[in-house]
Amino acid sequence: MTQKIVLAYSGGLDTSVAIPWLQDKGYQVITVCLNVGQHGKQMDQIQQKALKLGAIQSLVIDGQDDFAENYVSKVIKSNALYEGEYPLISALSRPLIIKKLVKVAHENNADTIAHGSTGKGNDQVRFEAAIHALDPEMKIEAPIRDFQWSREEEIEYAHQHKVPVPINFDSPYSIDENLWGRANEAGILEDPWNQAPEDAFALTQAIEKTPDQPDYADIEFKNGLPVSLNNKKMKLADLIKELNKTAGKHGIGRIDHVENRLIGIKSREIYEAPAAKVIMTAHKDLEDITLEHDLAHFKPLIENEITDLIYNAMWISPLFDALNSFIDKTQELVNGCVKMKLFKGNVTAVARKSEKNSLYSKELATYTSANSFDEQAAAGFMKLYTLPATVFEQVNHIHSKAKAQIGTEQ
Ligand code: ARG
């Protein structure tokens, strides 16, 4: 009996060539294309393409809400930017794709999963780490990595098997996208001294073309997550899509980043994440008035760890779960609204309010007569606050040289 295999399918050349290749190896191929909000992709065409190339079944699964509510949400709450820049676009979708693929494999008695990652990227690690965690018995095929085709060989194989080859395929970009943004690498971008040409971008306008009037976005948050945009209640996936359009029009969210991959290579990436940039800036701003001082200063330590775990393929791990419980606790009182100004590639929080949870007290902060801060208490605070350092200096005279010399003369 021929064995069934479930292939993570995007409709692009690599995963399309994988269909006849896996068939030649004796598999019956079931393709799964997960809709995580890829920009401008026709899912029905992708589905048909796989069938035409010989898949015995071609599934398109809508994962947009799952992706927004259970994956993107964690990045928002923990302000997660890898190396301070990358909002984890691709890293986030991998565990969800595998969750769905493993389910399809079990339902169809398939004992192998295939993915189209190369051997040089992080995605192979994320795919395979999730497969091992969810089903250690599951076998894995990675044709693009393991067969090590050159571009010419791949094109030749594609022609032989009637797989359509896109024009300009000799120096292509490698693109991955979802609701949360778009990642673009390879081709001309491989030289970090090459400025990314305009055709590398799809979600954002060049600043030269952005409107001369700003747009404003009022984003309302509940428990650290956006729930409405300009007073219109929206589910997270829709809110992100809407903001991608408005912020993209203003050229917001272009990121040009040379990043450290898990597998040791430095790579130059062009990201576009318009909505992510706006939402994360707003979220951080709301935390500034709702998180207590010590908590606000401690939280970035956990955020940093969570960010690395996501990037480094550890979505399914007890540390990740435990740290997210901490983050969820911190978000219980992150409620309120932030007004964002979108203009010429920049997004700025220009006003914020939190009716129930604002810790900002005008009475304490004001310099007018409405002041309720006890300034007498401030003088005593300084004495006690500096006491340990004062005692140390009086004993050791590190900074008060004159006295220090007298000290050594004695
Ligand atoms: N470097 C990013 C990451 O590791 C993006 C990878 C995107 N994949 C792609 N085929 N372009 O998460």
Side-chain angles (χ1 to χ4, degrees), residues 86 90-91 94 122-123 126 174-176 183-185 259 261 267 269 271 311:
Y86 165 45
S90 304
R94 303 320 187 199
N122 299 311
D123 288 332
R126 298 172 186 143
S174 167
I175 293 161
D176 181 56
N184 192 351
E185 59 192 40
E259 84 192 19
R261 286 189 186 163
S267 71
E269 311 271 342
Y271 297 114
Y311 188 87

mmCIF file of all heavy atoms in Angstrom, residues 86 90-91 94 122-123 126 174-176 183-185 259 261 267 269 271 311, ligand 1:
data_model
loop_
_atom_site.group_PDB
_atom_site.id
_atom_site.type_symbol
_atom_site.label_atom_id
_atom_site.label_comp_id
_atom_site.label_asym_id
_atom_site.label_seq_id
_atom_site.Cartn_x
_atom_site.Cartn_y
_atom_site.Cartn_z
ATOM 1 N N TYR A 86 12.188 42.712 14.974
ATOM 2 C CA TYR A 86 11.364 41.831 14.139
ATOM 3 C C TYR A 86 10.159 41.281 14.918
ATOM 4 O O TYR A 86 10.336 40.579 15.909
ATOM 5 C CB TYR A 86 12.263 40.688 13.631
ATOM 6 C CG TYR A 86 11.577 39.480 13.041
ATOM 7 C CD1 TYR A 86 10.519 39.613 12.141
ATOM 8 C CD2 TYR A 86 12.001 38.195 13.361
ATOM 9 C CE1 TYR A 86 9.914 38.490 11.595
ATOM 10 C CE2 TYR A 86 11.411 37.064 12.813
ATOM 11 C CZ TYR A 86 10.366 37.224 11.938
ATOM 12 O OH TYR A 86 9.769 36.113 11.398
ATOM 13 N N SER A 90 6.959 35.221 10.753
ATOM 14 C CA SER A 90 6.992 33.824 10.292
ATOM 15 C C SER A 90 7.102 32.849 11.464
ATOM 16 O O SER A 90 6.468 31.793 11.456
ATOM 17 C CB SER A 90 8.187 33.595 9.364
ATOM 18 O OG SER A 90 8.143 34.509 8.301
ATOM 19 N N ALA A 91 7.903 33.233 12.442
ATOM 20 C CA ALA A 91 8.114 32.355 13.594
ATOM 21 C C ALA A 91 6.794 31.988 14.253
ATOM 22 O O ALA A 91 6.617 30.875 14.765
ATOM 23 C CB ALA A 91 9.024 33.042 14.601
ATOM 24 N N ARG A 94 4.403 29.127 12.315
ATOM 25 C CA ARG A 94 4.869 27.743 12.168
ATOM 26 C C ARG A 94 4.207 26.758 13.131
ATOM 27 O O ARG A 94 3.751 25.699 12.710
ATOM 28 C CB ARG A 94 6.399 27.658 12.272
ATOM 29 C CG ARG A 94 7.169 28.521 11.265
ATOM 30 C CD ARG A 94 6.559 28.518 9.913
ATOM 31 N NE ARG A 94 7.349 29.203 8.892
ATOM 32 C CZ ARG A 94 6.844 29.631 7.750
ATOM 33 N NH1 ARG A 94 5.556 29.468 7.477
ATOM 34 N NH2 ARG A 94 7.606 30.220 6.871
ATOM 35 N N ASN A 122 15.470 29.222 9.859
ATOM 36 C CA ASN A 122 14.890 28.879 11.148
ATOM 37 C C ASN A 122 13.620 28.053 10.999
ATOM 38 O O ASN A 122 13.228 27.333 11.915
ATOM 39 C CB ASN A 122 14.490 30.160 11.889
ATOM 40 C CG ASN A 122 15.663 31.059 12.153
ATOM 41 O OD1 ASN A 122 16.694 30.608 12.645
ATOM 42 N ND2 ASN A 122 15.517 32.337 11.831
ATOM 43 N N ASP A 123 12.954 28.197 9.849
ATOM 44 C CA ASP A 123 11.638 27.579 9.725
ATOM 45 C C ASP A 123 11.678 26.053 9.831
ATOM 46 O O ASP A 123 10.796 25.439 10.415
ATOM 47 C CB ASP A 123 10.974 28.014 8.413
ATOM 48 C CG ASP A 123 10.526 29.469 8.475
ATOM 49 O OD1 ASP A 123 10.231 29.938 9.590
ATOM 50 O OD2 ASP A 123 10.488 30.130 7.427
ATOM 51 N N ARG A 126 11.568 25.254 13.427
ATOM 52 C CA ARG A 126 10.236 25.476 14.024
ATOM 53 C C ARG A 126 9.262 24.394 13.599
ATOM 54 O O ARG A 126 8.490 23.868 14.410
ATOM 55 C CB ARG A 126 9.717 26.850 13.609
ATOM 56 C CG ARG A 126 10.617 27.958 14.103
ATOM 57 C CD ARG A 126 10.212 29.290 13.516
ATOM 58 N NE ARG A 126 11.160 30.313 13.878
ATOM 59 C CZ ARG A 126 11.531 31.308 13.072
ATOM 60 N NH1 ARG A 126 11.019 31.395 11.855
ATOM 61 N NH2 ARG A 126 12.395 32.205 13.476
ATOM 62 N N SER A 174 12.503 35.378 -1.430
ATOM 63 C CA SER A 174 11.814 34.327 -0.691
ATOM 64 C C SER A 174 10.860 35.018 0.279
ATOM 65 O O SER A 174 11.285 35.730 1.190
ATOM 66 C CB SER A 174 12.831 33.477 0.071
ATOM 67 O OG SER A 174 12.151 32.683 1.002
ATOM 68 N N ILE A 175 9.574 34.825 0.018
ATOM 69 C CA ILE A 175 8.574 35.612 0.753
ATOM 70 C C ILE A 175 7.708 34.719 1.626
ATOM 71 O O ILE A 175 7.308 33.630 1.219
ATOM 72 C CB ILE A 175 7.688 36.383 -0.255
ATOM 73 C CG1 ILE A 175 8.540 37.440 -0.957
ATOM 74 C CG2 ILE A 175 6.502 37.043 0.446
ATOM 75 C CD1 ILE A 175 7.965 37.940 -2.242
ATOM 76 N N ASP A 176 7.461 35.179 2.834
ATOM 77 C CA ASP A 176 6.500 34.488 3.693
ATOM 78 C C ASP A 176 5.596 35.553 4.282
ATOM 79 O O ASP A 176 6.080 36.602 4.715
ATOM 80 C CB ASP A 176 7.223 33.730 4.807
ATOM 81 C CG ASP A 176 6.228 32.993 5.682
ATOM 82 O OD1 ASP A 176 5.445 32.182 5.141
ATOM 83 O OD2 ASP A 176 6.199 33.245 6.903
ATOM 84 N N ALA A 183 7.579 38.830 5.288
ATOM 85 C CA ALA A 183 9.037 38.686 5.398
ATOM 86 C C ALA A 183 9.578 38.443 4.006
ATOM 87 O O ALA A 183 9.057 37.615 3.255
ATOM 88 C CB ALA A 183 9.382 37.500 6.296
ATOM 89 N N ASN A 184 10.633 39.163 3.663
ATOM 90 C CA ASN A 184 11.203 39.034 2.328
ATOM 91 C C ASN A 184 12.721 38.916 2.450
ATOM 92 O O ASN A 184 13.363 39.718 3.132
ATOM 93 C CB ASN A 184 10.830 40.279 1.505
ATOM 94 C CG ASN A 184 11.140 40.098 0.038
ATOM 95 O OD1 ASN A 184 11.782 39.117 -0.354
ATOM 96 N ND2 ASN A 184 10.699 41.038 -0.775
ATOM 97 N N GLU A 185 13.273 37.888 1.838
ATOM 98 C CA GLU A 185 14.724 37.710 1.892
ATOM 99 C C GLU A 185 15.210 37.145 0.560
ATOM 100 O O GLU A 185 14.427 36.818 -0.317
ATOM 101 C CB GLU A 185 15.125 36.780 3.057
ATOM 102 C CG GLU A 185 14.508 35.413 2.978
ATOM 103 C CD GLU A 185 14.651 34.590 4.256
ATOM 104 O OE1 GLU A 185 14.505 35.145 5.358
ATOM 105 O OE2 GLU A 185 14.886 33.377 4.145
ATOM 106 N N GLU A 259 19.669 39.979 10.839
ATOM 107 C CA GLU A 259 19.363 39.289 12.101
ATOM 108 C C GLU A 259 20.187 38.022 12.305
ATOM 109 O O GLU A 259 20.706 37.440 11.342
ATOM 110 C CB GLU A 259 17.866 38.975 12.182
ATOM 111 C CG GLU A 259 17.438 37.710 11.501
ATOM 112 C CD GLU A 259 15.922 37.595 11.348
ATOM 113 O OE1 GLU A 259 15.204 38.602 11.440
ATOM 114 O OE2 GLU A 259 15.465 36.472 11.094
ATOM 115 N N ARG A 261 20.215 34.350 12.926
ATOM 116 C CA ARG A 261 19.367 33.156 12.894
ATOM 117 C C ARG A 261 19.823 32.149 13.936
ATOM 118 O O ARG A 261 21.004 32.091 14.281
ATOM 119 C CB ARG A 261 19.452 32.485 11.522
ATOM 120 C CG ARG A 261 18.718 33.222 10.460
ATOM 121 C CD ARG A 261 18.673 32.390 9.190
ATOM 122 N NE ARG A 261 18.091 33.180 8.121
ATOM 123 C CZ ARG A 261 18.208 32.871 6.839
ATOM 124 N NH1 ARG A 261 18.876 31.801 6.470
ATOM 125 N NH2 ARG A 261 17.647 33.616 5.923
ATOM 126 N N SER A 267 21.371 36.987 8.571
ATOM 127 C CA SER A 267 20.637 37.152 7.317
ATOM 128 C C SER A 267 20.018 38.535 7.252
ATOM 129 O O SER A 267 19.629 39.106 8.275
ATOM 130 C CB SER A 267 19.562 36.087 7.162
ATOM 131 O OG SER A 267 18.517 36.320 8.056
ATOM 132 N N GLU A 269 16.997 40.781 6.195
ATOM 133 C CA GLU A 269 15.570 40.594 5.985
ATOM 134 C C GLU A 269 14.892 41.947 5.775
ATOM 135 O O GLU A 269 15.237 42.925 6.430
ATOM 136 C CB GLU A 269 14.914 39.961 7.220
ATOM 137 C CG GLU A 269 15.609 38.733 7.755
ATOM 138 C CD GLU A 269 15.126 37.439 7.114
ATOM 139 O OE1 GLU A 269 14.036 37.437 6.513
ATOM 140 O OE2 GLU A 269 15.851 36.444 7.229
ATOM 141 N N TYR A 271 11.240 43.340 6.282
ATOM 142 C CA TYR A 271 9.916 43.030 6.816
ATOM 143 C C TYR A 271 8.989 44.212 6.577
ATOM 144 O O TYR A 271 9.422 45.363 6.548
ATOM 145 C CB TYR A 271 9.978 42.780 8.322
ATOM 146 C CG TYR A 271 10.813 41.591 8.716
ATOM 147 C CD1 TYR A 271 11.990 41.757 9.434
ATOM 148 C CD2 TYR A 271 10.429 40.304 8.378
ATOM 149 C CE1 TYR A 271 12.762 40.667 9.810
ATOM 150 C CE2 TYR A 271 11.197 39.207 8.748
ATOM 151 C CZ TYR A 271 12.362 39.397 9.453
ATOM 152 O OH TYR A 271 13.113 38.313 9.820
ATOM 153 N N TYR A 311 11.174 32.825 18.641
ATOM 154 C CA TYR A 311 12.087 32.831 17.482
ATOM 155 C C TYR A 311 12.815 31.494 17.367
ATOM 156 O O TYR A 311 12.995 30.955 16.278
ATOM 157 C CB TYR A 311 13.097 33.977 17.629
ATOM 158 C CG TYR A 311 13.949 34.173 16.394
ATOM 159 C CD1 TYR A 311 13.509 34.979 15.346
ATOM 160 C CD2 TYR A 311 15.184 33.544 16.260
ATOM 161 C CE1 TYR A 311 14.269 35.148 14.197
ATOM 162 C CE2 TYR A 311 15.950 33.708 15.114
ATOM 163 C CZ TYR A 311 15.489 34.515 14.089
ATOM 164 O OH TYR A 311 16.247 34.672 12.948
HETATM 165 N N1 ARG B 1 14.009 35.278 9.169
HETATM 166 C C1 ARG B 1 12.647 35.260 9.566
HETATM 167 C C2 ARG B 1 12.436 34.195 10.599
HETATM 168 O O1 ARG B 1 13.260 33.390 10.809
HETATM 169 C C3 ARG B 1 11.716 35.117 8.398
HETATM 170 C C4 ARG B 1 11.757 33.838 7.639
HETATM 171 C C5 ARG B 1 10.775 33.926 6.555
HETATM 172 N N2 ARG B 1 10.778 32.838 5.651
HETATM 173 C C6 ARG B 1 10.901 33.023 4.326
HETATM 174 N N3 ARG B 1 10.862 31.971 3.587
HETATM 175 N N4 ARG B 1 11.103 34.196 3.803
HETATM 176 O O2 ARG B 1 11.432 34.151 11.266
#
